[in-house]
Amino acid sequence: MSAADYVHGIRQGDRNVLARAITLVESTHPEDRALARQVLSLCHPAPEETLRIAVTGAPGVGKSTLIEALGKRLVARGQRVAVLAADPTSIRTRGSILGDKTRMPGLGLAANAFVRPSPAGIVPGGVSHAAQQAIQLCEAAGYTFTFVETVGAGQSEVAARHITDVVLLLVLAHAGDELQAIKRGIVETADIITVAKADGTAASLSKTTQRQYQRSIRLFPPGPSGLRPRVLTCSAVSQDGLAQVWKAVEAFEEAIRTSGHLERNRTVQARDWVLQAATDALRDDFLQHPAVKERLRQMQEEVARGKRGPWAAAEELVRTYRCA
Amino acid sequence: MLPDFTSIPYRTARHTPRGSVRRAPWMTPEGTPIKSLYSEADLQELGHLDSLPGLPPFLGGPYATMYTGRPWTVRQYAGFSTAEESNAFYRNALAAGQRGLSVAFDLPTHRGYDSDHERVLGDVGKAGVAVDSVEDMKLLFEGIPLARQSVSMTMNGAVLPVMAFFIVAAEEQGTPLHALRGTIQNDILKEFMVRNTFIYPPGPSMRITRDVIAYCAAHMPRFNSVSVSGYHMHEAGAPADLELAYTLANGLEYVRASLEAGLNIDDFAPRISFFFGIGMHHYMEIAKLRAARCLWARLIKPFAPSNWKSLALRMHCQTSGFSLTAQHPLNNIVRTTAEALAAVFGHTQSLHTNALDEALALPSAPAARIARNTQLFLAEEADVTRAIDPWAGSYFVEALTGKLMQRAWSQLQEIEEAGGMTAAIAQGIPKMRIEAAAARKQARIDSRKDVVVGVNHFRAPGSKPPSDLMTVAHEAVLSQQLQRLNRVRATRGPIVVRQVLDGLRAAAQKPRANLLEWAVRAARARATLGEISQALEQEFGRHEGTVPLAAGAYLAESPGTSQESLALSDHFAALEGRRARILVAKLGQDGHDRGARVIATAFADMGFDVDVGPLFSTPEEVARQAVDNDVHVVGVSSLAGAHAILVPQLVEHLRTLGRPDILVILGGIVPQEDHNALLEQGIAAIFGPGTVVTEAAAQVLRLLLNEHHEPVQR
């Protein structure tokens, strides 16, 4: 398929083509990556009335379940919803188990929803890189809401911030008087904090946790949106609080659209991505260069044999690339 | 047929791992070291030796006379196609020496769907008998007096309509409720752990279990109201300590739920029965059955029963289906005999022996006969029934029993500390432990550490599948079922049906109402199984349960064996720009997902990106998922015979969606004679039981490389 074919299919809302286009932007193959850049260029600019929502939190906190519940509500209202989810990749075998189709059985089959799990992979630029490009594709295909589910482990929360409009952080009810987990970073990355699984025996503890978060975030200045994160509780099982969570998302969207923060934020993100995209393109070109390829093997061997340090070897490779 | 020996080069069989004298103790899968010699010293610290059969803690058996009074009950699990055909099969078996009946229902029935539900058409009558209403149940027991014949029914999810049909069928046969003998499995917790034929979420499901127990306690004093089943954990890969601990923990959970509902311990505890799987670890299995009785008595004692029967664990056993091989099916007779003997030495109350062809299909009539006779040989010819608890006092068996009790007790403590089994299931503890054990077991077989004769050691050429495999005439069964369903719906009083179903729904909202009472009323009015289940589903919702998979267990057990697959997988990734991606899918209503989950874990360990599809998917849904996720391969796991219809449909849907390039491979129990037809319909490869997972992965990668890139040299 040519870049034009891809873009035509995407704009027609052809899931088949969208699925393959996401594969394309995730590909590590240099030819694919060049084609991917063309497709992305043709998809630009994205439709304006879209919202990108990051859902983050520790493994097992219930991110998929919450997205499933919120997404189903949106789909029932006639909205089109995309979900991009990253699952961890084993460093040892490089394989992954991608379970989101199972974790989102309803949304996975809804005609107006598109769920795509991706291996977090050992890809250049990390998860957020491919996810950012996939968001562009989903929006071009007419999906108004795109959820990005990330495995919350510090780094990826920050990365999710850079590709979305609103960050929803899920936490679990905590025992104990003071929350050790409250750190400045959370306030800076999260726009909405939700105590998940607030049902059954955990219901009252969840309320306590909610109050503790509310108290703690007042100690910090508000984030770049100018708003302090709201703290809520919800249960995907009893459905309690789901409507409130979504209302909070809508209220936040309304506020940042009115204040102009949404647009400003996207502009800042786009500016950052110029450098990222250029670095990627350069990296591809570098690694594909025949002279570099040959020299790379040589350098690695020399380093292995102790003939050269890794820094000197790198210098040599860059020199080879420049001169070629 | 004999092989031609002149064409076989002479070489001696390679030494098996067990061929040498070993000094270091051998470690069992339970993590129990086995020494080469046991002596009196090994009995020193054992606390369980001083007991007699028939007296608490029942180590040697629940009855004082055991088999000297009467041998165990030969109870063969069977059922297929329509009620008429299963009825004929039962009558034939009873005439040939079988003592108890055990009904296998088809998957739509298990999952609460009528035979005409669009999601289940491919599964009707396949892995059991289709039962849609009282009329089917009456036909099932036509000419079999339920007052005299004990009947066991494997039913968990749709336990309410099935029990109600059974009760009404007996009523209309003229049998009073209090005379009914038999067992209903009614063990929902293990469904959430391993077997997956649940319908409702855990909370309402536990209430249904409890209501059945309470109903039986009040009206059916000779009926076992729950059969707490370790068998399915055993088959899912649980070693003896886990099977034991989790089964007893489930039993304990039912006891607590019934006490909370206001029952007295002696009203129901004597009617709790157990069900264990028996594999090839002969002594371990004997120890397991003895340990089970002792531990159960210990667990129930604190509830202070006044009837000693409350402390006695009675059990049914079944030989292991997992231990059977598709290669050289006759070998399975020998395996089953060895397993049956372990169950008998462990003093089971009833026994099912698997048929030799069950790794390939449902049992054929001759295979079913050999299976039944296996028990008759043991009971009547082999003189193993003359003495009670024959292994009592054996240094080795007693020491092993003691060790196993210790290990199981500590696993039980883990569940108790998690807050009981319901809480532990919610946290995913049992499923995680069992699946890790299953992946390790597969890795031991694949790396030839565990011997499977004729499969990974002592392979012999010329394995031919038996020619007379049992097949179900699916179209005919389906049309007969639909006709009967329509007749039932046309001849009943529609207003009454609506009223009873409304009553059932209202009862679901009142925690004190007994749902089985209401289901019986609905059954009398000829409400169907689907309607009764649907009414409750409106109140309770349908459960979509899954627990995330953990990778790494397979690789941990056999780090060396996957080198080729890993290298191929890296090679493919370099050419393709991403890793080979496979969707592991379950089609139809079959919830047995050990195979699918072991494959998913192992393939991820071999460098695949693995999508795990939801259970109970239709071909159309699987095709949609495959296309959305843009996978290279769909791997379908099939154990219940629906593949012949559903897998070609999947291929067709992929074609319709414009992705004929996505390969479809099939694994599980697929009869040889279906292979050609399936391959012609576009299935890329079929992997039967005994496939080495690493080899399967390598083959899939070679297929992909041929398909997408230049062929690779082997």
Side-chain angles (χ1 to χ4, degrees):
Chain A
M1 273 200 290
S2 71
D5 293 338
Y6 271 110
V7 177
H8 179 74
I10 291 167
R11 291 214 194 277
Q12 296 285 310
D14 186 335
R15 298 167 75 111
N16 194 332
V17 178
L18 175 62
R20 297 172 74 163
I22 294 178
T23 303
L24 190 69
V25 299
E26 287 174 355
S27 175
T28 53
H29 202 284
E31 282 171 29
D32 289 347
R33 293 169 69 82
L35 185 58
R37 277 189 287 271
Q38 280 181 43
V39 172
L40 288 164
S41 305
L42 290 171
C43 281
H44 193 79
E48 276 179 13
E49 290 293 301
T50 60
L51 190 65
R52 306 159 187 173
I53 308 147
V55 178
T56 178
V61 71
K63 298 181 289 291
S64 310
T65 318
L66 181 74
I67 294 174
E68 162 96 351
L70 292 178
K72 272 160 83 175
R73 282 159 172 253
L74 288 169
V75 167
R77 285 195 286 184
Q79 300 287 358
R80 301 191 70 205
V81 177
V83 181
L84 304 168
D87 274 297
T89 298
S90 156
I91 293 168
R92 203 160 149 211
T93 70
R94 298 165 291 277
S96 308
I97 289 177
L98 308 155
D100 292 81
K101 289 282 163 171
T102 339
R103 297 199 291 266
M104 299 178 206
L107 216 48
L109 295 171
N112 271 337
F114 183 86
V115 180
R116 175 66 177 251
S118 295
I122 304 147
V123 286
V127 192
S128 59
H129 180 103
Q132 192 268 351
Q133 298 174 359
I135 292 174
Q136 304 292 322
L137 298 175
C138 290
E139 291 186 347
Y143 292 92
T144 319
F145 296 95
T146 305
F147 288 90
V148 180
E149 182 190 330
T150 60
V151 188
Q155 283 293 315
S156 57
E157 277 156 35
V158 178
R161 160 102 279 166
H162 286 289
I163 58 172
T164 55
D165 305 315
V166 44
V167 176
L168 188 59
L169 171 72
L170 292 194
V171 294
L172 287 179
H174 269 262
D177 301 332
E178 270 309 314
L179 279 176
Q180 297 298 315
I182 299 249
K183 294 193 186 111
R184 195 186 183 101
I186 290 180
V187 186
E188 282 171 358
T189 51
D191 301 309
I192 298 164
I193 297 171
T194 300
V195 186
K197 299 189 182 176
D199 45 45
T201 50
S204 73
L205 189 58
S206 302
K207 292 285 170 202
T208 315
T209 310
Q210 179 188 20
R211 280 192 297 275
Q212 285 171 336
Y213 270 98
Q214 280 165 338
R215 234 178 290 133
S216 307
I217 55 177
R218 282 191 215 116
L219 303 174
F220 302 112
S225 68
L227 301 163
R228 280 218 168 78
R230 291 198 53 193
V231 187
L232 303 156
T233 65
C234 81
S235 159
V237 176
S238 69
Q239 304 271 307
D240 289 339
L242 286 177
Q244 284 83 341
V245 171
W246 188 248
K247 269 205 200 100
V249 174
E250 285 180 325
F252 183 80
E253 181 191 6
E254 172 76 35
I256 57 173
R257 273 195 202 283
T258 317
S259 72
H261 172 74
L262 188 144
E263 211 189 318
R264 262 197 320 276
N265 187 38
R266 283 195 181 182
T267 313
V268 171
Q269 288 176 355
R271 213 174 51 202
D272 289 351
W273 282 102
V274 175
L275 185 59
Q276 180 72 53
T279 315
D280 285 346
L282 195 59
R283 185 178 188 280
D284 289 343
D285 195 53
F286 175 78
L287 288 175
Q288 277 317 108
H289 204 289
V292 172
K293 270 190 189 170
E294 199 191 314
R295 201 93 178 99
L296 176 63
R297 215 171 306 126
Q298 217 178 330
M299 286 298 112
Q300 282 174 330
E301 254 165 55
E302 286 187 14
V303 171
R305 274 189 277 121
K307 278 183 72 180
R308 221 188 257 265
W311 300 276
E315 276 298 322
E316 173 58 30
L317 280 174
V318 173
R319 205 172 306 126
T320 310
Y321 179 66
R322 282 215 190 105
C323 297
Chain B
M1 200 180 62
L2 282 177
D4 175 9
F5 288 107
T6 57
S7 69
I8 299 173
Y10 174 80
R11 64 185 159 80
T12 50
R14 227 183 273 160
H15 259 313
T16 71
R18 290 183 199 163
S20 53
V21 178
R22 49 181 69 246
R23 298 249 156 67
W26 174 69
M27 197 59 88
T28 71
E30 290 78 12
T32 305
I34 302 287
K35 303 186 292 181
S36 10
L37 186 66
Y38 285 78
S39 68
E40 205 173 345
D42 294 289
L43 302 183
Q44 290 308 313
E45 282 162 25
L46 299 178
H48 67 260
L49 295 178
D50 185 23
S51 84
L52 283 172
L55 291 173
F58 304 102
L59 177 82
Y63 304 117
T65 55
M66 286 313 300
Y67 300 154
T68 61
R70 190 169 67 91
W72 65 93
T73 304
V74 180
R75 188 186 290 283
Q76 298 292 87
Y77 180 54
F80 55 90
S81 87
T82 61
E84 289 96 330
E85 284 199 50
S86 291
N87 174 267
F89 186 91
Y90 295 159
R91 289 213 247 179
N92 190 28
L94 290 171
Q98 185 169 318
R99 298 282 299 277
L101 289 182
S102 174
V103 184
F105 295 97
D106 72 355
L107 290 163
T109 307
H110 275 290
R111 298 268 299 145
Y113 294 113
D114 284 338
S115 295
D116 60 353
H117 194 284
E118 52 166 15
R119 292 192 73 87
V120 304
L121 296 175
D123 282 310
V124 174
K126 281 278 181 182
V129 58
V131 170
D132 293 325
S133 73
V134 174
E135 298 305 331
D136 291 332
M137 194 65 96
K138 285 172 76 177
L139 282 171
L140 194 61
F141 297 115
E142 179 119 350
I144 300 171
L146 293 174
R148 274 179 285 139
Q149 182 59 56
S150 84
V151 175
S152 163
M153 291 182 288
T154 297
M155 181 48 67
N156 303 281
V159 64
L160 287 174
V162 165
M163 265 304 269
F165 293 164
F166 181 72
I167 288 166
V168 176
E171 244 172 38
E172 298 185 8
Q173 248 194 21
T175 308
L177 271 186
H178 63 81
L180 286 174
R181 285 188 305 127
T183 304
I184 182 81
Q185 196 161 77
N186 193 30
D187 172 16
I188 201 68
L189 289 170
K190 61 99 174 47
E191 298 293 335
F192 292 109
M193 285 157 59
V194 285
R195 190 164 172 266
N196 297 318
T197 39
F198 42 71
I199 304 177
Y200 314 108
S205 295
M206 272 302 277
R207 182 213 165 162
I208 291 170
T209 298
R210 195 196 67 197
D211 282 1
V212 172
I213 293 175
Y215 186 97
C216 290
H219 307 291
M220 300 163 72
R222 304 176 72 192
F223 206 84
N224 296 322
S225 53
V226 55
S227 167
V228 193
S229 306
Y231 183 81
H232 312 90
M233 301 172 202
H234 184 275
E235 293 300 282
D241 57 334
L242 291 183
E243 180 189 359
L244 202 49
Y246 294 168
T247 309
L248 297 177
N250 285 352
L252 196 57
E253 201 79 342
Y254 299 134
V255 167
R256 286 178 182 146
S258 306
L259 291 174
E260 271 167 33
L263 294 180
N264 183 311
I265 184 86
D266 291 320
D267 291 343
F268 64 93
R271 296 324 310 184
I272 297 175
S273 66
F274 286 80
F275 174 26
F276 292 105
I278 303 294
M280 290 299 283
H281 298 287
H282 196 75
Y283 292 107
M284 187 61 86
E285 299 296 30
I286 298 172
K288 181 174 79 189
L289 303 188
R290 303 175 85 241
R293 286 187 291 262
C294 197
L295 290 175
W296 183 243
R298 197 197 290 181
L299 286 170
I300 296 303
K301 199 139 183 255
F303 298 106
S306 45
N307 181 355
W308 63 264
K309 285 185 178 171
S310 295
L311 296 168
L313 179 149
R314 294 163 307 121
M315 65 175 80
H316 172 70
C317 285
Q318 178 171 342
T319 58
S320 166
F322 179 78
S323 70
L324 304 184
T325 63
Q327 298 88 339
H328 306 280
L330 290 176
N331 289 350
N332 294 331
I333 302 177
V334 188
R335 292 193 176 96
T336 299
T337 308
E339 292 169 350
L341 196 58
V344 167
F345 286 153
H347 274 7
T348 186
Q349 277 56 67
S350 62
L351 178 61
H352 168 105
T353 29
N354 286 329
L356 66 102
D357 54 2
E358 276 187 87
L360 300 159
L362 287 182
S364 65
R369 179 156 181 224
I370 294 172
R372 193 168 52 234
N373 284 351
T374 303
Q375 294 194 46
L376 298 178
F377 294 136
L378 293 181
E380 308 293 340
E381 290 190 22
D383 285 332
V384 294
T385 61
R386 310 286 182 207
I388 303 163
D389 197 13
W391 286 96
S394 147
Y395 298 139
F396 175 43
V397 171
E398 292 293 12
L400 195 58
T401 306
K403 275 267 167 17
L404 188 56
M405 276 198 262
Q406 273 174 12
R407 287 203 63 94
W409 193 258
S410 71
Q411 302 282 9
L412 247 164
Q413 291 317 305
E414 183 188 38
I415 301 299
E416 287 293 287
E417 277 155 26
M421 194 47 112
T422 312
I425 287 173
Q427 293 162 40
I429 298 171
K431 196 161 182 134
M432 180 189 75
R433 294 230 181 280
I434 293 172
E435 277 176 3
R440 286 195 298 269
K441 169 84 185 165
Q442 187 64 48
R444 283 198 306 276
I445 293 174
D446 288 356
S447 60
R448 306 176 79 234
K449 280 189 218 162
D450 280 8
V451 178
V452 184
V453 172
V455 176
N456 66 0
H457 282 265
F458 314 110
R459 286 199 221 202
S463 164
K464 267 204 203 125
S467 52
D468 50 357
L469 284 181
M470 150 101 179
T471 51
V472 174
H474 181 254
E475 301 280 312
V477 171
L478 192 57
S479 86
Q480 218 176 325
Q481 241 8 74
L482 299 191
Q483 268 174 28
R484 191 145 58 228
L485 203 46
N486 289 336
R487 200 159 54 236
V488 167
R489 290 203 184 113
T491 52
R492 63 188 186 181
I495 298 168
V496 185
V497 173
R498 203 174 324 126
Q499 281 169 348
V500 291
L501 291 176
D502 285 347
L504 183 63
R505 261 200 305 277
Q509 293 168 351
K510 291 180 232 142
R512 287 277 146 203
N514 189 301
L515 290 172
L516 183 51
E517 261 168 44
W518 285 91
V520 168
R521 283 179 218 183
R524 278 197 202 110
R526 274 22 187 196
T528 66
L529 176 123
E531 290 163 346
I532 294 173
S533 304
Q534 176 70 37
L536 292 169
E537 189 181 330
Q538 283 169 8
E539 297 301 323
F540 296 149
R542 196 170 258 273
H543 183 64
E544 317 259 9
T546 47
V547 175
L549 270 165
Y554 184 93
L555 194 66
E557 188 72 28
S558 78
T561 53
S562 40
Q563 286 315 315
E564 189 206 353
S565 316
L566 266 174
L568 269 174
S569 147
D570 282 348
H571 177 61
F572 180 81
L575 292 173
E576 181 75 1
R578 62 168 173 154
R579 309 210 64 86
R581 187 160 178 171
I582 183 170
L583 168 64
V584 178
K586 288 288 299 180
L587 281 174
Q589 296 302 307
D590 175 21
H592 294 98
D593 60 351
R594 172 187 187 163
R597 294 179 75 95
V598 166
I599 288 289
T601 312
F603 270 53
D605 282 357
M606 281 171 284
F608 280 68
D609 286 336
V610 182
D611 291 270
V612 186
L615 288 169
F616 316 122
S617 298
T618 64
E620 197 174 358
E621 290 164 358
V622 172
R624 176 86 273 160
Q625 290 152 14
V627 171
D628 280 359
N629 288 11
D630 194 15
V631 299
H632 297 105
V633 193
V634 183
V636 178
S637 159
S638 170
L639 290 176
H643 58 267
I645 301 145
L646 299 176
V647 179
Q649 283 179 10
L650 169 63
V651 174
E652 197 46 48
H653 280 296
L654 284 171
R655 210 167 282 153
T656 317
L657 290 175
R659 294 302 302 272
D661 58 305
I662 296 179
L663 297 182
V664 176
I665 60 169
L666 179 58
I669 298 179
V670 182
Q672 190 68 38
E673 69 248 34
D674 290 357
H675 283 206
N676 279 342
L678 286 165
L679 293 172
E680 270 165 33
Q681 281 164 308
I683 314 297
I686 301 170
F687 300 100
T691 302
V692 175
V693 181
T694 42
E695 280 171 20
Q699 196 184 326
V700 169
L701 287 162
R702 280 193 293 272
L703 275 170
L704 284 177
L705 285 164
N706 286 338
E707 199 83 6
H708 293 256
H709 304 279
E710 83 286 3
V712 277
Q713 296 298 314
R714 276 278 284 137

